[in-house]
Amino acid sequence: MFRCNECGEEFDAPEYYIEYHGDASAPGERWAVCPRCGDTDFEEIIYGGGPDDDL
């Protein structure tokens, strides 16, 4: 699970964008973004398994 630091959306997997910079034969630049707002500032969050989960 991931959480976007920009919009707060929680999502299972980021979307990926590829920028070819005008040359489709090149491998391109790839980056992961939030599926809601498109920002790259997100982090993986882990639920469960901690000692305080039952509090």
Side-chain angles (χ1 to χ4, degrees):
M1 184 66 86
F2 299 87
R3 179 182 301 125
C4 179
N5 293 318
E6 179 66 27
C7 70
E9 177 78 4
E10 292 186 5
F11 49 95
D12 292 326
E15 290 187 0
Y16 291 92
Y17 287 97
I18 300 174
E19 176 71 41
Y20 292 104
H21 302 287
D23 183 2
S25 66
E29 179 182 6
R30 179 178 183 239
W31 66 94
V33 299
C34 168
R36 180 176 178 195
C37 71
D39 200 271
T40 58
D41 184 18
F42 61 85
E43 57 192 319
E44 186 171 10
I45 54 175
I46 300 171
Y47 291 111
D52 299 329
D53 287 347
D54 295 331
L55 298 178

